[in-house]
Amino acid sequence: QVQLVESGGGLVQPGGSLRLSCAASGFTFSSDTMYWYRQAPGKERELVASISSTGGTTNYADSMKGRFTVSRDNAKNTMYLQMSSLKPDDTAVYYCNVRRGVSYWGQGTQVTVSS
């Protein structure tokens, strides 16, 4: 069965950096576009970034452009999200997602940006 496991979250000061990972299993990882989403307290889940199956095409929400970088290693079945210049507004639970007829989600990893 499809499994997505996020890791790498934590507490970071404003202006700091974090790298999130999403380890995938149960499907042919190299065949699917992958997505990062986030959900802040009291807000709807929002799309952060996407990356095509080969990694050749990436897209970002406007507020993340220039600060976040999505990448993937198909040999390791893992997707990454490098986040820099973090702001308190980036505080959220970050989820990875794959759409294979239905949407599959990981359990999420908490990112807290605070001094």
Side-chain angles (χ1 to χ4, degrees):
Q1 69 278 24
V2 174
Q3 281 196 313
L4 302 170
V5 180
E6 302 93 337
S7 61
L11 173 64
V12 62
Q13 292 188 340
S17 300
L18 276 177
R19 188 176 84 153
L20 307 183
S21 299
C22 171
S25 61
F27 66 103
T28 306
F29 180 75
S30 60
S31 297
D32 289 281
T33 296
M34 296 293 296
Y35 303 85
W36 283 104
Y37 283 78
R38 70 183 186 184
Q39 188 165 19
K43 296 187 177 181
E44 293 188 354
R45 195 169 294 190
E46 64 174 340
L47 180 63
V48 172
S50 65
I51 184 166
S52 64
S53 59
T54 63
T57 300
T58 57
N59 290 287
Y60 300 90
D62 286 344
S63 62
M64 289 73 160
K65 287 180 181 176
R67 299 190 300 123
F68 291 9
T69 302
V70 61
S71 62
R72 65 193 294 163
D73 184 338
N74 285 347
K76 295 182 178 179
N77 287 358
T78 303
M79 175 177 64
Y80 305 97
L81 184 68
Q82 178 69 47
M83 306 185 294
S84 60
S85 301
L86 284 163
K87 309 172 184 179
D89 284 350
D90 294 317
T91 295
V93 179
Y94 286 71
Y95 299 90
C96 62
N97 168 266
V98 65
R99 304 166 187 175
R100 313 189 81 247
V102 298
S103 259
Y104 294 91
W105 300 91
Q107 83 289 349
T109 186
Q110 175 71 49
V111 172
T112 303
V113 184
S114 175
S115 54

